[in-house]
Short mmCIF file of all heavy atoms in Angstrom, two decimals:
data_model
loop_
_atom_site.label_atom_id
_atom_site.label_comp_id
_atom_site.label_asym_id
_atom_site.label_seq_id
_atom_site.Cartn_x
_atom_site.Cartn_y
_atom_site.Cartn_z
N PHE A 1 131.28 -164.81 28.58
CA PHE A 1 131.62 -165.58 29.76
C PHE A 1 132.80 -164.77 30.58
O PHE A 1 132.76 -164.82 31.74
CB PHE A 1 132.01 -166.88 29.38
CG PHE A 1 130.93 -167.85 29.04
CD1 PHE A 1 130.90 -168.44 27.73
CD2 PHE A 1 129.93 -168.12 29.86
CE1 PHE A 1 129.87 -169.17 27.44
CE2 PHE A 1 128.86 -169.03 29.62
CZ PHE A 1 128.90 -169.54 28.40
N ASN A 2 133.68 -164.26 29.83
CA ASN A 2 134.91 -163.53 30.34
C ASN A 2 134.23 -162.33 31.17
O ASN A 2 134.82 -162.00 32.23
CB ASN A 2 135.75 -163.05 29.33
CG ASN A 2 136.69 -164.06 28.71
OD1 ASN A 2 136.93 -164.99 29.40
ND2 ASN A 2 136.96 -163.85 27.45
N ASP A 3 133.19 -161.62 30.78
CA ASP A 3 132.61 -160.53 31.51
C ASP A 3 131.96 -161.06 32.76
O ASP A 3 132.02 -160.36 33.84
CB ASP A 3 131.59 -159.83 30.63
CG ASP A 3 131.02 -158.65 31.38
OD1 ASP A 3 131.65 -157.67 31.59
OD2 ASP A 3 129.73 -158.69 31.63
N ILE A 4 131.28 -162.16 32.65
CA ILE A 4 130.81 -162.83 33.96
C ILE A 4 131.88 -163.05 34.92
O ILE A 4 131.75 -162.78 36.13
CB ILE A 4 129.96 -164.07 33.66
CG1 ILE A 4 128.59 -163.71 32.94
CG2 ILE A 4 129.71 -164.83 34.88
CD1 ILE A 4 127.84 -164.90 32.59
N TRP A 5 132.90 -163.80 34.51
CA TRP A 5 134.03 -164.15 35.40
C TRP A 5 134.82 -162.91 35.91
O TRP A 5 135.14 -162.85 37.12
CB TRP A 5 135.02 -165.00 34.71
CG TRP A 5 136.19 -165.50 35.56
CD1 TRP A 5 137.53 -165.27 35.31
CD2 TRP A 5 135.95 -166.28 36.71
NE1 TRP A 5 138.19 -165.91 36.26
CE2 TRP A 5 137.39 -166.47 37.10
CE3 TRP A 5 134.99 -166.81 37.40
CZ2 TRP A 5 137.67 -167.26 38.37
CZ3 TRP A 5 135.27 -167.54 38.59
CH2 TRP A 5 136.53 -167.74 39.00
N LYS A 6 134.86 -161.84 35.14
CA LYS A 6 135.50 -160.62 35.65
C LYS A 6 134.62 -160.02 36.85
O LYS A 6 135.28 -159.61 37.82
CB LYS A 6 135.55 -159.59 34.49
CG LYS A 6 136.35 -158.28 34.78
CD LYS A 6 136.24 -157.26 33.65
CE LYS A 6 136.86 -157.85 32.35
NZ LYS A 6 136.69 -156.79 31.27
N ARG A 7 133.34 -159.86 36.65
CA ARG A 7 132.48 -159.34 37.60
C ARG A 7 132.48 -160.25 38.82
O ARG A 7 132.44 -159.85 40.04
CB ARG A 7 131.17 -159.15 37.10
CG ARG A 7 130.94 -158.00 36.24
CD ARG A 7 129.51 -157.74 35.86
NE ARG A 7 129.06 -158.81 34.97
CZ ARG A 7 127.75 -159.04 34.71
NH1 ARG A 7 126.76 -158.27 35.37
NH2 ARG A 7 127.24 -160.01 33.96
N ALA A 8 132.61 -161.62 38.68
CA ALA A 8 132.62 -162.56 39.80
C ALA A 8 133.97 -162.33 40.56
O ALA A 8 133.94 -162.26 41.83
CB ALA A 8 132.56 -164.02 39.31
N ARG A 9 135.02 -162.19 39.92
CA ARG A 9 136.29 -161.88 40.66
C ARG A 9 136.32 -160.75 41.52
O ARG A 9 136.90 -160.70 42.58
CB ARG A 9 137.45 -162.05 39.75
CG ARG A 9 137.76 -163.42 39.13
CD ARG A 9 139.11 -163.43 38.36
NE ARG A 9 138.97 -162.76 37.09
CZ ARG A 9 139.61 -161.66 36.74
NH1 ARG A 9 140.44 -161.05 37.71
NH2 ARG A 9 139.55 -161.09 35.58
N ALA A 10 135.56 -159.72 40.89
CA ALA A 10 135.48 -158.41 41.81
C ALA A 10 134.63 -158.60 43.02
O ALA A 10 135.05 -158.18 44.06
CB ALA A 10 134.82 -157.30 40.87
N LEU A 11 133.66 -159.41 42.86
CA LEU A 11 132.80 -159.70 44.01
C LEU A 11 133.47 -160.58 45.07
O LEU A 11 133.29 -160.52 46.29
CB LEU A 11 131.44 -160.38 43.57
CG LEU A 11 130.45 -159.45 42.77
CD1 LEU A 11 129.34 -160.10 42.35
CD2 LEU A 11 129.97 -158.24 43.53
N PHE A 12 134.30 -161.54 44.40
CA PHE A 12 135.07 -162.30 45.34
C PHE A 12 136.06 -161.54 46.18
O PHE A 12 136.17 -161.77 47.36
CB PHE A 12 135.85 -163.46 44.43
CG PHE A 12 135.04 -164.52 43.87
CD1 PHE A 12 135.40 -165.15 42.78
CD2 PHE A 12 133.74 -164.66 44.26
CE1 PHE A 12 134.74 -166.16 42.15
CE2 PHE A 12 132.86 -165.70 43.63
CZ PHE A 12 133.41 -166.43 42.51
N ALA A 13 136.73 -160.64 45.53
CA ALA A 13 137.66 -159.74 46.23
C ALA A 13 137.05 -159.00 47.28
O ALA A 13 137.59 -158.75 48.46
CB ALA A 13 138.43 -158.80 45.17
N LYS A 14 135.86 -158.42 47.02
CA LYS A 14 135.09 -157.72 48.09
C LYS A 14 134.83 -158.61 49.35
O LYS A 14 134.82 -158.05 50.62
CB LYS A 14 133.82 -157.09 47.60
CG LYS A 14 134.05 -155.91 46.54
CD LYS A 14 132.81 -155.40 46.12
CE LYS A 14 133.07 -154.28 45.10
NZ LYS A 14 131.68 -153.60 44.48
N GLN A 15 134.37 -159.83 49.15
CA GLN A 15 134.16 -160.67 50.28
C GLN A 15 135.30 -161.50 50.68
O GLN A 15 135.12 -162.46 51.49
CB GLN A 15 132.89 -161.53 49.75
CG GLN A 15 131.68 -160.83 49.32
CD GLN A 15 130.52 -161.68 49.03
OE1 GLN A 15 130.39 -162.86 49.56
NE2 GLN A 15 129.61 -161.20 48.18
N ASP A 16 136.50 -161.16 50.21
CA ASP A 16 137.70 -162.02 50.64
C ASP A 16 137.65 -163.43 50.30
O ASP A 16 137.88 -164.33 51.10
CB ASP A 16 137.95 -161.72 52.12
CG ASP A 16 139.46 -162.09 52.41
OD1 ASP A 16 140.27 -162.15 51.49
OD2 ASP A 16 139.79 -162.42 53.58
N LEU A 17 137.02 -163.83 49.04
CA LEU A 17 136.90 -165.16 48.67
C LEU A 17 138.12 -165.42 47.64
O LEU A 17 138.22 -164.52 46.69
CB LEU A 17 135.67 -165.43 48.03
CG LEU A 17 134.39 -165.12 48.82
CD1 LEU A 17 133.11 -165.25 48.02
CD2 LEU A 17 134.45 -166.01 50.10
N ARG A 18 138.85 -166.51 47.83
CA ARG A 18 139.92 -166.75 47.03
C ARG A 18 139.94 -168.16 46.40
O ARG A 18 140.79 -169.06 46.94
CB ARG A 18 141.31 -166.46 47.64
CG ARG A 18 141.49 -165.13 48.11
CD ARG A 18 142.81 -164.74 48.64
NE ARG A 18 143.70 -164.74 47.53
CZ ARG A 18 145.05 -164.53 47.68
NH1 ARG A 18 145.60 -164.45 48.80
NH2 ARG A 18 145.74 -164.62 46.64
N PRO A 19 139.02 -168.57 45.53
CA PRO A 19 138.98 -169.94 44.99
C PRO A 19 140.09 -170.11 43.96
O PRO A 19 140.62 -169.23 43.43
CB PRO A 19 137.50 -170.02 44.34
CG PRO A 19 137.34 -168.57 43.98
CD PRO A 19 137.97 -167.67 44.99
N TYR A 20 140.54 -171.40 43.92
CA TYR A 20 141.55 -171.72 43.02
C TYR A 20 141.11 -173.15 42.21
O TYR A 20 140.32 -173.84 42.84
CB TYR A 20 142.95 -171.91 43.67
CG TYR A 20 142.93 -172.97 44.79
CD1 TYR A 20 143.37 -174.35 44.42
CD2 TYR A 20 142.35 -172.57 46.15
CE1 TYR A 20 143.19 -175.32 45.57
CE2 TYR A 20 142.47 -173.52 47.02
CZ TYR A 20 142.80 -174.88 46.78
OH TYR A 20 142.79 -175.76 47.77
N GLY A 21 141.57 -173.25 41.03
CA GLY A 21 141.45 -174.53 40.44
C GLY A 21 141.66 -174.32 38.92
O GLY A 21 142.51 -173.70 38.39
N PHE A 22 140.68 -174.82 37.94
CA PHE A 22 140.81 -174.77 36.58
C PHE A 22 139.51 -174.54 35.88
O PHE A 22 138.36 -174.67 36.37
CB PHE A 22 141.20 -176.23 36.08
CG PHE A 22 142.79 -176.14 35.90
CD1 PHE A 22 143.55 -176.62 37.16
CD2 PHE A 22 143.47 -175.89 34.74
CE1 PHE A 22 145.00 -176.77 36.92
CE2 PHE A 22 144.74 -176.02 34.72
CZ PHE A 22 145.53 -176.35 35.85
N ARG A 23 139.71 -173.90 34.60
CA ARG A 23 138.60 -173.69 33.78
C ARG A 23 138.81 -174.34 32.50
O ARG A 23 139.94 -174.21 31.86
CB ARG A 23 138.36 -172.12 33.62
CG ARG A 23 137.20 -171.74 32.69
CD ARG A 23 137.51 -170.51 31.92
NE ARG A 23 138.43 -170.76 30.92
CZ ARG A 23 139.10 -169.83 30.14
NH1 ARG A 23 138.84 -168.55 30.34
NH2 ARG A 23 139.86 -170.13 29.11
N VAL A 24 137.77 -174.97 31.89
CA VAL A 24 137.84 -175.55 30.55
C VAL A 24 136.74 -174.99 29.75
O VAL A 24 135.60 -175.01 30.11
CB VAL A 24 137.78 -177.09 30.75
CG1 VAL A 24 137.69 -177.66 29.29
CG2 VAL A 24 138.87 -177.66 31.61
N VAL A 25 137.15 -174.61 28.48
CA VAL A 25 136.05 -174.20 27.58
C VAL A 25 135.78 -175.22 26.52
O VAL A 25 136.84 -175.66 25.90
CB VAL A 25 136.56 -172.86 26.83
CG1 VAL A 25 135.49 -172.43 25.85
CG2 VAL A 25 136.79 -171.86 27.93
N GLU A 26 134.58 -175.60 26.31
CA GLU A 26 134.21 -176.63 25.39
C GLU A 26 133.10 -176.18 24.39
O GLU A 26 132.25 -175.43 24.82
CB GLU A 26 133.71 -177.94 26.23
CG GLU A 26 133.49 -179.11 25.42
CD GLU A 26 132.86 -180.24 26.24
OE1 GLU A 26 132.39 -179.92 27.18
OE2 GLU A 26 132.98 -181.33 25.85
N PRO A 27 133.21 -176.59 23.18
CA PRO A 27 132.00 -176.10 22.29
C PRO A 27 130.92 -177.07 22.50
O PRO A 27 130.88 -178.33 22.66
CB PRO A 27 132.71 -176.38 20.87
CG PRO A 27 133.66 -177.37 21.03
CD PRO A 27 134.31 -177.34 22.46
N HIS A 28 129.64 -176.47 22.19
CA HIS A 28 128.52 -177.14 22.08
C HIS A 28 128.47 -177.84 20.82
O HIS A 28 129.34 -177.55 19.83
CB HIS A 28 127.13 -176.36 22.24
CG HIS A 28 126.82 -176.24 23.68
ND1 HIS A 28 126.57 -177.31 24.48
CD2 HIS A 28 126.82 -175.04 24.49
CE1 HIS A 28 126.24 -176.81 25.76
NE2 HIS A 28 126.34 -175.41 25.72
N HIS A 29 127.54 -178.62 20.32
CA HIS A 29 127.53 -179.21 18.97
C HIS A 29 127.39 -178.31 17.89
O HIS A 29 127.89 -178.51 16.83
CB HIS A 29 126.33 -180.27 19.05
CG HIS A 29 124.96 -179.56 18.86
ND1 HIS A 29 124.14 -179.57 17.71
CD2 HIS A 29 124.35 -178.77 19.79
CE1 HIS A 29 123.01 -178.84 17.96
NE2 HIS A 29 123.11 -178.33 19.14
N ASP A 30 126.88 -177.03 18.16
CA ASP A 30 126.60 -176.02 17.21
C ASP A 30 127.84 -175.00 17.18
O ASP A 30 127.73 -173.91 16.50
CB ASP A 30 125.33 -175.40 17.31
CG ASP A 30 125.30 -174.53 18.56
OD1 ASP A 30 126.06 -174.91 19.51
OD2 ASP A 30 124.38 -173.72 18.78
N GLY A 31 128.89 -175.25 17.95
CA GLY A 31 129.92 -174.39 18.02
C GLY A 31 129.98 -173.29 18.88
O GLY A 31 130.86 -172.46 19.02
N CYS A 32 128.92 -173.30 19.82
CA CYS A 32 128.73 -172.18 20.82
C CYS A 32 129.57 -172.66 21.98
O CYS A 32 129.24 -173.91 22.50
CB CYS A 32 127.33 -171.89 21.13
SG CYS A 32 127.06 -170.61 22.45
N PRO A 33 130.46 -171.83 22.65
CA PRO A 33 131.30 -172.36 23.69
C PRO A 33 130.40 -172.39 25.05
O PRO A 33 129.28 -171.66 25.28
CB PRO A 33 132.45 -171.34 23.94
CG PRO A 33 131.72 -170.01 23.42
CD PRO A 33 130.80 -170.47 22.19
N HIS A 34 130.80 -173.14 25.98
CA HIS A 34 130.35 -173.26 27.42
C HIS A 34 131.51 -173.53 28.36
O HIS A 34 132.46 -174.15 27.84
CB HIS A 34 129.14 -174.20 27.60
CG HIS A 34 129.54 -175.61 27.35
ND1 HIS A 34 129.67 -176.13 26.05
CD2 HIS A 34 129.73 -176.68 28.11
CE1 HIS A 34 130.04 -177.44 26.17
NE2 HIS A 34 130.05 -177.84 27.39
N TRP A 35 131.45 -173.20 29.59
CA TRP A 35 132.49 -173.31 30.53
C TRP A 35 132.28 -174.40 31.41
O TRP A 35 131.14 -174.66 31.96
CB TRP A 35 132.71 -171.99 31.35
CG TRP A 35 133.45 -170.96 30.53
CD1 TRP A 35 133.62 -170.77 29.17
CD2 TRP A 35 134.04 -169.79 31.12
NE1 TRP A 35 134.30 -169.69 28.88
CE2 TRP A 35 134.69 -169.00 29.92
CE3 TRP A 35 134.31 -169.35 32.35
CZ2 TRP A 35 135.34 -167.90 30.23
CZ3 TRP A 35 135.01 -168.16 32.55
CH2 TRP A 35 135.45 -167.41 31.45
N HIS A 36 133.41 -175.12 31.81
CA HIS A 36 133.32 -176.06 32.93
C HIS A 36 134.44 -175.55 33.92
O HIS A 36 135.45 -175.35 33.51
CB HIS A 36 133.68 -177.47 32.54
CG HIS A 36 132.74 -178.03 31.57
ND1 HIS A 36 131.35 -178.37 32.11
CD2 HIS A 36 132.71 -178.46 30.22
CE1 HIS A 36 130.73 -178.90 31.09
NE2 HIS A 36 131.50 -178.94 30.02
N MET A 37 134.11 -175.35 35.30
CA MET A 37 134.95 -174.87 36.28
C MET A 37 135.05 -175.86 37.31
O MET A 37 134.02 -176.31 37.98
CB MET A 37 134.63 -173.53 36.62
CG MET A 37 134.45 -172.49 35.49
SD MET A 37 133.90 -170.86 36.17
CE MET A 37 135.53 -170.41 36.86
N LEU A 38 136.32 -176.17 37.75
CA LEU A 38 136.61 -176.92 38.94
C LEU A 38 137.37 -176.02 39.99
O LEU A 38 138.54 -175.67 39.67
CB LEU A 38 137.57 -178.24 38.63
CG LEU A 38 137.94 -178.98 39.81
CD1 LEU A 38 136.73 -179.59 40.52
CD2 LEU A 38 138.86 -180.16 39.34
N LEU A 39 136.55 -175.68 41.05
CA LEU A 39 137.16 -174.67 42.03
C LEU A 39 137.11 -175.29 43.37
O LEU A 39 136.34 -176.11 43.86
CB LEU A 39 136.34 -173.44 42.13
CG LEU A 39 136.14 -172.67 40.73
CD1 LEU A 39 135.21 -171.50 40.94
CD2 LEU A 39 137.44 -172.18 40.27
N PHE A 40 138.25 -175.10 44.02
CA PHE A 40 138.49 -175.43 45.40
C PHE A 40 138.45 -174.17 46.38
O PHE A 40 138.97 -173.05 45.91
CB PHE A 40 139.85 -176.18 45.64
CG PHE A 40 139.97 -177.29 44.80
CD1 PHE A 40 140.63 -177.33 43.52
CD2 PHE A 40 139.29 -178.58 45.31
CE1 PHE A 40 140.64 -178.53 42.89
CE2 PHE A 40 139.44 -179.69 44.61
CZ PHE A 40 140.16 -179.67 43.30
N MET A 41 137.83 -174.28 47.45
CA MET A 41 137.77 -173.15 48.51
C MET A 41 137.37 -173.66 49.83
O MET A 41 137.18 -174.86 50.02
CB MET A 41 136.68 -172.22 47.89
CG MET A 41 135.25 -172.90 48.11
SD MET A 41 134.08 -172.33 46.77
CE MET A 41 134.67 -173.32 45.37
N GLU A 42 137.64 -172.69 50.87
CA GLU A 42 137.27 -173.13 52.10
C GLU A 42 135.78 -173.52 52.23
O GLU A 42 135.04 -173.02 51.57
CB GLU A 42 137.55 -172.06 53.11
CG GLU A 42 139.07 -171.70 53.19
CD GLU A 42 139.32 -170.65 54.26
OE1 GLU A 42 138.45 -170.32 55.03
OE2 GLU A 42 140.42 -170.18 54.23
N LYS A 43 135.56 -174.50 53.25
CA LYS A 43 134.19 -174.97 53.30
C LYS A 43 133.09 -173.99 53.51
O LYS A 43 131.98 -173.89 52.88
CB LYS A 43 134.01 -176.06 54.36
CG LYS A 43 134.81 -177.30 54.01
CD LYS A 43 134.66 -178.39 55.03
CE LYS A 43 135.27 -179.65 54.72
NZ LYS A 43 135.24 -180.77 55.75
#
């Protein structure tokens, strides 16, 4: 997931996108993590 977010931020910077908010990591029932993200940005 960190690798996905790293590449996403690089693409955001190229297109001058600057979202802000929060990220929460939660385990699935078997201990595998998944992400929840609440982001705010221009419409």
